[in-house]
Amino acid sequence: MSTQVVAAKPEAIALDLSKAALVIIDMQRDFLEPGGFGATLGNDVSLLRSCIAPCQRLLSAARDMGMLIIHTREGHLPDLSDAPIAKIERGKPSLRIGSLGPMGRILIRGEPGHGIIPELAPKEGELVIDKPGKGAFYRTELQQELQARGIENLLVCGVTTEVCVHTTVREANDRGYRCLVMSDACGSYFPEFHEMGLRVITAQGGIFGWVATTDAVITSIKSALETA
Ligand code: C5J
């Protein structure tokens, strides 16, 4: 049966997994590896590594089920025409967006740093959504791709919890999607923001969505496969 009850906060949720997509947000070298965008802002990128293995497990289970898989990448065109000046000039990074770093130009499409980490490399047929902003719906084809496939439920993981995961979940929630965020498959440079970001999603009866563990979601996917 494709509808499964997943143990979640603020309460269990019945999800039709045949209408679900796994959305893996921005698991790019620019955020997870030294020398990328995240590091230029002074962050300890090693803090994001704990979510790689849970993301791998979710990816593998979703592939087994034949679920729609979407990878997103944050980044800008080489001429920076889609990068607001306010974003480029913000703060005091060691290298600004577009500058040459050890993994190519910082946060620029097509550069080595813009790529998804090898552990989660997309397979042929999986969607890769390039986005100039934090949210995956802003100036992308994501909404059309979801609508074309009748997707109603999004299983969301990736980095960072309180920035691009959160922005995408908020955008999706406003568009009517049920969002289930896997807590251990998300990561942040700030553990306290990670915790609070997840709490904000589930507060007030699930104002933005639901939060579950990777184990709970994988149990549901396996159960759907067994009863198919
Ligand atoms: C950030 C992201 N943190 N993917 N991007 O700038 O969360």
Side-chain angles (χ1 to χ4, degrees):
M1 224 180 45
S2 57
T3 297
Q4 294 289 322
V5 177
V6 186
K9 286 182 185 169
E11 60 193 2
I13 175 173
L15 279 182
D16 183 349
L17 294 177
S18 70
K19 294 183 178 169
L22 176 67
V23 184
I24 307 178
I25 303 285
D26 299 0
M27 291 296 283
Q28 297 162 251
R29 300 183 66 197
D30 253 326
F31 294 104
L32 286 117
E33 293 186 8
F37 180 60
T40 68
L41 295 169
N43 296 307
D44 175 359
V45 294
S46 70
L47 288 168
L48 300 191
R49 298 207 71 81
S50 65
C51 72
I52 296 175
C55 284
Q56 284 179 307
R57 293 178 57 221
L58 287 161
L59 187 55
S60 165
R63 281 174 177 159
D64 288 348
M65 192 175 173
M67 188 182 284
L68 174 65
I69 294 165
I70 299 168
H71 306 259
T72 73
R73 297 185 297 205
E74 180 180 346
H76 296 284
L77 296 168
D79 65 3
L80 295 176
S81 56
D82 61 352
I85 294 290
K87 181 175 180 182
I88 296 174
E89 291 184 342
R90 187 162 313 164
K92 291 188 173 50
S94 55
L95 288 170
R96 292 211 181 270
I97 295 169
S99 303
L100 191 59
M103 291 192 289
R105 293 178 67 203
I106 299 290
L107 216 60
I108 298 296
R109 293 186 191 181
E111 298 287 336
H114 181 254
I116 291 172
I117 57 169
E119 296 93 322
L120 294 166
K123 280 195 176 164
E124 208 179 316
E126 296 173 0
L127 286 181
V128 179
I129 301 282
D130 281 314
K131 61 188 186 64
K134 305 303 181 196
F137 289 83
Y138 173 65
R139 292 179 70 179
T140 73
E141 64 282 20
L142 179 57
Q143 172 100 348
Q144 294 92 292
E145 296 284 5
L146 296 174
Q147 279 174 344
R149 294 167 175 82
I151 299 296
E152 297 176 0
N153 308 313
L154 303 182
L155 309 179
V156 189
C157 59
V159 298
T160 63
T161 316
E162 77 281 10
V163 184
C164 290
V165 171
H166 232 268
T167 307
T168 298
V169 166
R170 288 170 183 236
E171 288 180 332
N173 178 61
D174 278 349
R175 287 164 175 77
Y177 296 96
R178 290 177 205 90
C179 293
L180 179 63
V181 177
M182 282 68 72
S183 50
D184 51 331
C186 293
S188 170
Y189 304 119
F190 305 92
E192 67 275 29
F193 293 169
H194 172 80
E195 287 308 321
M196 197 52 76
L198 297 175
R199 279 180 64 188
V200 168
I201 290 168
T202 62
Q204 304 177 71
I207 195 98
F208 294 126
W210 290 258
V211 172
T213 61
T214 294
D215 277 349
V217 172
I218 287 179
T219 300
S220 302
I221 292 176
K222 283 189 178 154
S223 165
L225 278 172
E226 279 161 17
T227 53

